[in-house]
Amino acid sequence: MSEAADNADRLHGHCLCGGVALSVPAHVHAVHACHCGACRRWHGGPAMVLPAGEDLRIETGDALVRRFASSDWAERAFCGACGSSLFFRSTGEGQHYVAAGLFDAIPGAHFEAEIFIDAKPEWYALDGPGEHLTGEAFFARIGAG
């Protein structure tokens, strides 16, 4: 496959300062909201993420990517220059959940699920997702916990 065709098959995003550029497959368009305490502290509210599986590419700025083992089942990555949240990765299966805000556009995006719904505070509510998973159900799905 040519590089031009490969680029057309991927969504490209970047951190706030532009130092880290990454990509995920273009067919990734399901947005999940995570309400776990770690995501709320990391993002200042629910984390809006794209489940990208194992196919996350750091296109530029790999040296700026900082990783933090936030639990025994996941690590979080951020830009070492501007602090932008990049993704979290489940350490069991290596699944990436990429911050949706890194992308200027996500063609066909739809709000698919809320995870850790049992950890969501009462002071906000989101409208639209079809699936609501507790933390236990999410752990079962990714083979962690």
Side-chain angles (χ1 to χ4, degrees), residues 1 12 15-16 21 27 32 43 48 56 59 63 72 80 90 93 96 98-99 106 118-119 121 130 144-145:
M1 176 181 302
H12 296 270
C15 65
L16 182 62
H27 65 78
H32 292 187
H43 288 275
M48 304 301 273
L56 168 72
E59 303 288 352
D72 59 352
S90 64
E93 295 181 347
H96 293 89
V98 182
I106 305 169
D118 51 331

Side-chain angles (χ1 to χ4, degrees), residues 86-126:
L86 301 172
F87 59 87
F88 77 87
R89 183 183 72 84
S90 64
T91 53
E93 295 181 347
Q95 301 296 301
H96 293 89
Y97 297 83
V98 182
L102 300 175
F103 303 91
D104 291 334
I106 305 169
H110 64 279
F111 190 15
E112 183 177 83
E114 292 183 63
I115 57 178
F116 284 89
I117 193 70
D118 51 331
K120 184 186 80 57
E122 295 294 320
W123 52 267
Y124 70 81
L126 301 177

Side-chain angles (χ1 to χ4, degrees), residues 2-134:
S2 74
E3 184 176 334
D6 184 49
N7 280 336
D9 293 337
R10 301 194 62 83
L11 296 175
H12 296 270
H14 58 84
C15 65
L16 182 62
C17 71
V20 177
L22 50 75
S23 69
V24 299
H27 65 78
V28 174
H29 48 73
V31 178
H32 292 187
C34 183
H35 302 288
C36 78
C39 278
R40 288 185 288 115
R41 285 177 185 84
W42 193 39
H43 288 275
M48 304 301 273
V49 296
L50 295 172
E54 296 178 16
D55 194 3
L56 168 72
R57 293 182 195 163
I58 305 298
E59 303 288 352
T60 60
D62 189 55
L64 290 173
V65 177
R66 302 291 182 265
R67 296 170 193 268
F68 170 68
S70 57
S71 68
D72 59 352
W73 63 273
E75 71 175 7
R76 295 170 190 277
F78 61 95
C79 174
C82 68
S84 292
S85 299
L86 301 172
F87 59 87
F88 77 87
R89 183 183 72 84
S90 64
T91 53
E93 295 181 347
Q95 301 296 301
H96 293 89
Y97 297 83
V98 182
L102 300 175
F103 303 91
D104 291 334
I106 305 169
H110 64 279
F111 190 15
E112 183 177 83
E114 292 183 63
I115 57 178
F116 284 89
I117 193 70
D118 51 331
K120 184 186 80 57
E122 295 294 320
W123 52 267
Y124 70 81
L126 301 177
D127 187 33
E131 186 173 31
H132 295 85
L133 298 173
T134 63

